[in-house]
Amino acid sequence: MRHRFPSCLRQLLCGLALLASLAAIAGPAAADEAASPWFTTDQGRVRLIAAEPAVDGADSVRLGLQFELASHWKIYWRSPGDAGYPPHVDWKGSQNLADASLAWPAPRRFSVLGLETVGYEGEVVLPIKARLEHPGEALHAVATLQYLTCEQICVPYDTTLTLDLPAGASSANATGFADLIDRYQAKVPGDGTASDIHLQGMTIGTGSKPTLALMLAADPPLVHPDAFVEGPEGVVFGVPKVIADDPHRPIIDLAVLSASKKPPSLAGHPLTVTVVDGERSLQVTAIPSETAAPSEIARLLPMLLAALIGGLILNCMPCVLPVLSLKLMAVVRHRDHAAMLRGGFIASAAGILVAFLGLAGTMIALRGIGVAVGWGVQFQEPLFLAAMAAVTTLFAANLWDLLEIRLPYFIADRAGSMMGGRSLLGSFVTGVFATLLATPCSAPFLGTAVGFALAGSSLDILVIFAALGFGLALPYLLVAAVPGIARLLPRPGRWMLLLRRLLGLALLGTAGWLVFVLSAEVGLASAIEVAVLLVVPLILLVALAASKLRAAGVALAIVAALGAAAAAPTPTAVEHMAMDAFWQPFDRSRIAGLVGQGKIVFVDVTARWCLTCQVNKRLVLDQAPVNARLDRPSVVAMQADWTRPDPAIADYLRGYGRYGIPFNIVYGPGAPSGIALSELLSTSDVMAALDRAQGDAATAQTAGNGG
């Protein structure tokens, strides 16, 4: 039996459905009433929006220029930097508009081919406070907009945006644009009260290369601050460098640049300073005081010390141990010949220094043509990996007495044995080899020194890298200065044969690791081809070791090694490292949103060729309690694989003043700008950073629950 609805009930339901349909149609329309039509181009779109759909009796209204830009396209800040110009609005033709003031949210820096520009990418709203001539009356806003949008090329645009706001009452947030305008208004730098950043002093150095120093106070400490200074026309300021050790009291240096030969004196002239550190910012206008410029030595001294210590610590890293084994054999062999021992170790130290200066020169040249540079990035190149695997295999064959290369008389004075370290040239090559193998490792102080150098001038790079080389060479110089240390070791004997075999095996393991890294860059099949070109000649050398054909086997081994280096094909598409269940691919754009939801974000920038990264993973990240903590629902663990070049990861690292890995940072409600960790992780440091990022309330709850 069918039941019929009463007619009155049917009419009521139909009426409700009609009202719902009208509401669905009216909702978007109401929102669009407080916005001009979009001006759309291939590079993005822009419109004028209002916080309220009506004037509502106020003497001013809140407007906004809403830009939505295509990927990688940008517009400029009010002070654009070395190129470009900012959006400009002419309000001529508007009715009931006394004046309009444009606000500028905190910008970001763009560094391309030596040019420094400042602006915005993606979406941005420029808040506008429009003061009315007749409060409460309707507003007819006419905004004639000129702006420039750039990527690899720049495109200027002119358009007119019109918006009508009638007189009358309106409910709060009726347009849906109020929250959007408020969100970007909150990004406009204030006096520092809300962000807890304060300018405590500002000095300008005298001399031919003056520097502006900003003395800041911040709590919590700044993570990666940037500073933009607006001063007299014709004066620009260089990329800021943080030079103080205390993160709560950082000092930021900016070089003062001018088109004229003699930079003008800025003492007594007001300067507008904008400091940006993630979501925190400060804007203040102040007059700098004049001070004597520090000497170049005084400026570099703290970083020179950091570089020296970082280079010294590199000797203890697993990357360098295979090469140190070669020098150990030389020490034992010449323990009673001080002159030979001293000369060999001085030659090795010279090889290290020359190699570091060579790296510095290469980085300066690459940076000059706009190529991103960093510590260990050569391990992203297949040809370098194959060549290093070949050289390491030859070293192993030498330790097993399968291979010995005699250099010509005029090169090695009849005693040349490049692979055995029995000549000055052989020791020099060993030093160069130690430097090249050291680059996939990082160490405390090393990242700080390299970051300072690569963010500075060419002179900074040369001086800091020379200090790194001197630190790595210190043990060699110590043995050269006190050769009697060698007598503490046992005398040569049969035990050396076993040691040589073991050390050769270690070097062959290094070659295998290099081929493994190569497989991530060129594919497994190509890496196997390189491995075969290295292993087959070794087997042949073993078979011909006692025959008259040994010389032919040696020649074949050298040719095969060179062929293996040349066989490294073009890199394939990036093959990301296998991730554990809780690790997610790195996505920089998600971090702010996840933190806004109250989550903790742990970012691990790693690579297969980074041995320090693998040590951190095995000893800390894969161990309890860190592993269990990262697996919690409240934590999002992101892994950025930098095995192959990735501009997005390189840009992310540069944003924190880092040019090498490992790099680990923790974000959270208690640390929205992030807490950067040391290159060598410890369980206590990681857990402390996670607690701090979680925030005081959540931390207290965690402690109450037993962690």
Side-chain angles (χ1 to χ4, degrees), residues 35-37 48 140-144 160-164:
S36 72
L48 186 64
H140 174 65
V142 179
T144 301
T160 299
L161 307 173
T162 60
L163 175 63
D164 289 293

Side-chain angles (χ1 to χ4, degrees), residues 301-545:
L301 193 57
M303 287 302 161
L304 284 172
L305 182 60
L308 185 66
I309 297 173
L312 181 61
I313 295 176
L314 268 182
N315 285 285
C316 304
M317 305 305 290
C319 317
V320 187
L321 292 179
V323 183
L324 290 181
S325 66
L326 300 175
K327 297 310 297 178
L328 175 62
M329 298 304 300
V331 171
V332 174
R333 186 163 44 243
H334 303 306
R335 65 189 298 276
D336 296 321
H337 300 84
M340 296 183 65
L341 199 64
R342 180 179 286 113
F345 274 76
I346 290 177
S348 293
I352 291 172
L353 288 171
V354 169
F356 265 98
L357 291 175
L359 285 175
T362 302
M363 290 184 178
I364 291 171
L366 290 176
R367 193 176 68 169
I369 61 175
V371 177
V373 294
W375 181 255
V377 293
Q378 67 269 29
F379 276 77
Q380 297 175 341
E381 298 301 326
L383 181 60
F384 176 82
L385 288 169
M388 290 298 292
V391 173
T392 309
T393 302
L394 293 177
F395 269 94
N398 169 253
L399 285 175
W400 289 340
D401 293 324
L402 299 175
L403 178 65
E404 187 172 1
I405 303 175
R406 295 283 181 182
L407 297 177
Y409 171 83
F410 64 90
I411 296 180
D413 294 331
R414 297 195 181 118
S417 179
M418 189 170 102
M419 308 307 290
R422 298 171 192 164
S423 68
L424 295 181
L425 182 58
S427 297
F428 181 88
V429 170
T430 301
V432 173
F433 190 52
T435 301
L436 295 178
L437 273 185
T439 51
C441 274
S442 187
F445 301 99
L446 180 69
T448 302
V450 171
F452 173 86
L454 295 180
S457 64
S458 298
L459 178 62
D460 292 336
I461 296 177
L462 284 171
V463 172
I464 294 300
F465 271 67
L468 285 168
F470 188 74
L472 182 60
L474 267 179
Y476 297 82
L477 295 173
L478 177 62
V479 175
V482 189
I485 295 176
R487 293 193 179 91
L488 300 177
L489 296 174
R491 288 187 173 276
R494 295 184 60 85
W495 65 272
M496 287 183 61
L497 297 176
L498 177 60
L499 181 61
R500 286 175 66 90
R501 301 297 182 265
L502 293 176
L503 294 179
L505 190 61
L507 283 172
L508 195 61
T510 301
W513 166 72
L514 290 166
V515 173
F516 167 73
V517 176
L518 182 66
S519 68
E521 304 192 10
V522 300
L524 182 60
S526 298
I528 291 175
E529 177 185 347
V530 172
V532 169
L533 286 172
L534 295 175
V535 173
V536 170
L538 273 183
I539 297 174
L540 185 60
L541 283 175
V542 173
L544 300 177

